[in-house]
Amino acid sequence: MSASSLPFVVGANSVEDQRARWERKRSRTAKELLETEHKYLEQLDLVLTYFVTILKAKGTLKPAVLETIFGPLESLYSASHLLSLHLEKGNLGPGLEIFCQSLDLYGHYAENLEQANKTLKEQVRKNKSFRRFKKLQETRPQFQGKELEDLLPLPLQRLHQYKHFFRDLLENTSPDTAEYQKLAKTVKSVCEVSHWVQDIFDKRENSLQLLRVQKLLKGQKTQVLTSGRWYIREGWLSVVPAKGEELKRRMFFLFSDILIAAKPCHPLHLLNSNKLSCQAVYPLHQCSVDKVFGHTWSQGGLLSVSLPTCARQKCQWSQACKQVSSCLSSRGIEMMTAVKKYSEQV
């Protein structure tokens, strides 16, 4: 072998080795995808066989109630069953094309899940025959101690797994193959639906946080539940009075548009002993936030939150949020906050 041909041979072997590694990883991922798909289908089949089918036949629940609790579960099962059949035959491309057509079902299922859980709890509480039926079905050995509430979120959990499986398959598929384009399209579609589902969960969690804070505050004067408002964080801080008085410990709630300062109600109050009394509401679009000291990670620090009367001094929310959020540390380090209102500054 001549010296001039040696680099070509070495390069060729390197490419072949890389392709072999891709193929091994791809085969392992495809095998794991199929195995977990079978387990997923088995769990969905428990719900469809022992709940949906029997409840439809017996008429224990009204059709509208049945639809609210289980939503498009049967359609989701059919879509995953078709995908598993294609995977068993090694026809990944055609299986993905059919699967992508049903992806919107996961978004609709996520939108309905909260109402499904509420309706399920209501039926368990009010419908005696359904309560007995549910308990009987869940004691079957096939359920392995799981309740219906544990199985309803399965499609959304599986969607998250699909995203990782398809992404791994894409990364280990040669870009010059037709299957690569189908995988790329599938990954994009699954990610879009995953973001849709995550957005639904984020909004739901945010609503719960707003409701929780609203219930913590005494009375209804301070309206926390407002459309478009996002909860960010909360924590105890010490307010530095303007005239050298003692520090005042306050609970601060940071939202996307306001900062609320509150103090505990009197512990002997008959109705509000466990609540907080709102002391001030600071609109963030009118605030400027500055660190007086405490720029390092050492313990302690001082913030100055200013409320100018001049509109030209209004700061951007992003700046206020960044500075306030960074100082309301989740580490539990107590910081001191100076809150002062300018009445004569421009």
Side-chain angles (χ1 to χ4, degrees):
M1 182 180 299
S2 64
S4 60
S5 63
L6 183 59
F8 174 78
V9 174
V10 172
N13 289 339
S14 178
V15 172
E16 291 300 321
D17 289 343
Q18 180 61 53
R19 288 178 176 174
R21 285 195 295 270
W22 281 350
E23 186 57 36
R24 287 195 297 270
K25 291 180 180 178
R26 188 175 184 278
S27 297
R28 286 198 299 267
T29 302
K31 181 181 178 182
E32 187 178 357
L33 172 61
L34 181 58
E35 290 175 349
T36 54
E37 190 72 2
H38 285 159
K39 293 179 181 178
Y40 167 62
L41 287 171
E42 287 176 3
Q43 290 178 310
L44 283 192
D45 187 59
L46 289 176
V47 180
L48 295 177
T49 301
Y50 293 104
F51 279 96
V52 178
T53 303
I54 298 177
L55 287 171
K56 282 183 177 180
K58 294 180 64 176
T60 306
L61 297 177
K62 295 180 180 180
V65 174
L66 198 66
E67 176 64 25
T68 300
I69 295 176
F70 298 102
L73 200 62
E74 290 178 299
S75 299
L76 289 170
Y77 177 87
S78 298
S80 293
H81 181 64
L82 283 175
L83 176 62
S84 69
L85 293 178
H86 283 284
L87 291 175
E88 289 170 357
K89 297 177 182 178
N91 299 329
L92 181 61
L96 293 178
E97 287 182 339
I98 297 175
F99 178 75
C100 283
Q101 297 173 8
S102 62
L103 275 175
D104 282 354
L105 291 173
Y106 288 89
H108 297 309
Y109 191 82
E111 289 178 331
N112 181 67
L113 187 59
E114 183 179 17
Q115 186 59 46
N117 287 323
K118 288 181 180 179
T119 305
L120 178 58
K121 290 180 181 179
E122 182 181 2
Q123 291 299 316
V124 169
R125 186 177 69 254
K126 295 181 177 181
N127 193 328
K128 187 176 181 180
S129 59
F130 174 71
R131 182 168 62 249
R132 289 178 175 176
F133 171 79
K134 177 178 178 292
K135 187 175 181 180
L136 176 64
Q137 299 300 77
E138 290 169 347
T139 56
R140 291 177 178 271
Q142 295 92 331
F143 282 80
Q144 298 179 348
K146 293 182 179 180
E147 298 181 350
L148 180 58
E149 292 84 349
D150 302 322
L151 299 175
L152 288 181
L154 282 176
L156 303 182
Q157 296 170 6
R158 187 57 178 169
L159 177 67
H160 182 72
Q161 294 172 353
Y162 282 141
K163 182 173 65 174
H164 294 288
F165 277 125
F166 294 149
R167 188 175 290 168
D168 289 346
L169 287 172
L170 178 65
E171 292 175 352
N172 294 286
T173 300
S174 178
D176 56 359
T177 62
E179 205 166 74
Y180 182 88
Q181 300 301 324
K182 294 179 180 179
L183 272 169
K185 181 180 178 181
T186 302
V187 169
K188 181 181 178 182
S189 299
V190 171
C191 286
E192 288 174 352
V193 176
S194 294
H195 291 153
W196 176 13
V197 171
Q198 188 61 49
D199 187 55
I200 293 170
F201 287 156
D202 289 344
K203 289 179 178 178
R204 188 175 301 158
E205 177 62 24
N206 183 64
S207 297
L208 293 175
Q209 292 284 18
L210 295 180
L211 181 61
R212 179 183 63 83
V213 176
Q214 184 73 75
K215 291 180 177 179
L216 276 175
L217 298 177
K218 180 184 70 174
Q220 297 296 322
K221 186 177 180 180
T222 305
Q223 291 297 321
V224 177
L225 292 167
T226 300
S227 177
R229 176 172 293 163
W230 284 85
Y231 168 88
I232 298 177
R233 65 193 312 159
E234 64 190 63
W236 289 96
L237 299 173
S238 296
V239 177
V240 181
K243 297 182 179 180
E245 300 172 4
E246 292 185 0
L247 299 181
K248 297 180 180 180
R249 193 165 173 79
R250 297 288 184 263
M251 170 63 81
F252 282 85
F253 297 96
L254 178 63
F255 301 93
S256 58
D257 59 335
I258 59 173
L259 177 66
I260 295 178
K263 70 174 183 179
C265 295
H266 196 283
L268 298 181
H269 196 285
L270 293 177
L271 299 177
N272 300 318
S273 59
N274 295 323
K275 293 192 174 185
L276 299 167
S277 174
C278 179
Q279 298 299 293
V281 178
Y282 305 104
L284 290 178
H285 74 282
Q286 296 178 3
C287 294
S288 62
V289 182
D290 299 298
K291 287 183 181 180
V292 179
F293 63 83
H295 292 76
T296 65
W297 284 103
S298 60
Q299 185 173 0
L302 184 65
L303 290 175
S304 172
V305 181
S306 303
L307 295 166
T309 57
C310 178
R312 288 177 297 176
Q313 295 184 11
K314 293 180 180 180
C315 68
Q316 295 293 328
W317 150 239
S318 59
Q319 182 72 9
C321 177
K322 178 186 291 186
Q323 294 190 39
V324 176
S325 294
S326 64
C327 293
L328 294 175
S329 174
S330 58
R331 297 184 177 186
I333 298 175
E334 180 178 0
M335 305 250 179
M336 293 186 296
T337 304
V339 181
K340 54 183 178 178
K341 183 172 183 179
Y342 288 95
S343 59
E344 299 179 354
Q345 291 185 4
V346 177

